[in-house]
Amino acid sequence: MRRDAALFLTQFMRSPALVGAVAPSSRALARSVTAPVPETGDPVVVELGPGTGPFTAEIQQRLGGRGHHLAVEINEPMARRLIGRYPGVDVAIADAATLPALLAERGLGQADAIVSGLPWAAFSRGLQLRLLSAVLKSMTPEAAFTTFAYVHALPLSTARRFRRLLCDTFEEVVPGRTVWGNLPPAFVYTARRPRSAG
């Protein structure tokens, strides 16, 4: 949507390190990053950094009214748009590093899937570690954690560091195929079996 693109660009110009992209993710990338969302039962699905909601729409479609979908967005204008657009989604205007507390407040325990739209390569090592720690503490042992990376950012030291942190954090980290139709092209990391919630 044109309005989403305009909001995304505006918020990126104001806080590039927090927004991390100049345009919403494509439908193809959204399908790829949300693939591990369970198709049966009543799962707890957490979405970090939903932005204007391209992943949110896919998660809602996969859930079909089941389970609990918690979306954690620190950017208030984007969060307000999500609240208006997706009344069935539990939107928290909060820092993703507080995820364990957000789940506990809702009596949800741990998540069955965590989908991230956060700009990991834009974050310092300290912030990457804090966020990954929150993710680990919030996952069931069988849960999957998915996030994406931009192909052009792979040579950056912060992107390489994040990939190493993922491999140190999870027993299994699988990079997916490049989604060339995204702007810019991106691919998905699917991580399973947390090593420790320390």
Side-chain angles (χ1 to χ4, degrees):
M1 294 186 199
R2 246 179 294 180
R3 279 179 41 190
D4 285 355
L7 176 62
F8 225 97
L9 183 58
T10 300
Q11 297 306 310
F12 174 80
M13 297 299 285
R14 288 181 181 168
S15 302
L18 288 178
V19 177
V22 296
S25 298
S26 69
R27 178 89 190 272
L29 182 60
R31 282 195 299 264
S32 183
V33 83
T34 60
V37 172
E39 294 184 320
T40 59
D42 291 301
V44 174
V45 178
V46 170
E47 183 182 7
L48 304 178
T52 56
F55 297 170
T56 312
E58 289 296 318
I59 293 169
Q60 284 291 285
Q61 185 173 347
R62 289 182 72 83
L63 288 176
R66 299 174 295 110
H68 191 106
H69 178 181
L70 171 63
V72 184
E73 175 56 64
I74 199 168
N75 181 285
E76 189 166 348
M78 289 186 177
R80 295 289 173 207
R81 181 161 295 184
L82 282 176
I83 290 167
R85 185 175 290 166
Y86 300 103
V89 177
D90 179 4
V91 179
I93 304 174
D95 185 333
T98 66
L99 179 58
L102 293 171
L103 288 168
E105 287 166 10
R106 291 159 171 78
L108 292 174
Q110 292 177 305
D112 300 294
I114 299 180
V115 173
S116 171
L118 297 174
W120 294 93
F123 296 154
S124 67
R125 182 176 187 275
L127 183 52
Q128 287 177 345
L129 286 169
R130 281 201 311 279
L131 290 167
L132 276 177
S133 175
V135 166
L136 255 64
K137 290 173 183 174
S138 302
M139 295 175 68
T140 66
E142 301 78 25
F145 168 68
T146 57
T147 190
F148 69 95
Y150 294 124
V151 173
H152 75 273
L154 287 177
L156 298 177
S157 60
T158 50
R160 293 198 309 270
R161 182 179 65 223
F162 176 64
R163 183 173 183 146
R164 285 195 302 271
L165 285 174
L166 273 182
C167 292
D168 289 344
T169 302
F170 295 92
E171 291 182 15
E172 178 184 296
V173 178
V174 179
R177 293 180 178 176
T178 300
V179 179
W180 294 106
N182 197 70
L183 179 65
F187 66 94
V188 174
Y189 287 120
T190 301
R192 298 180 188 274
R193 298 195 300 277
R195 294 185 189 276
S196 164

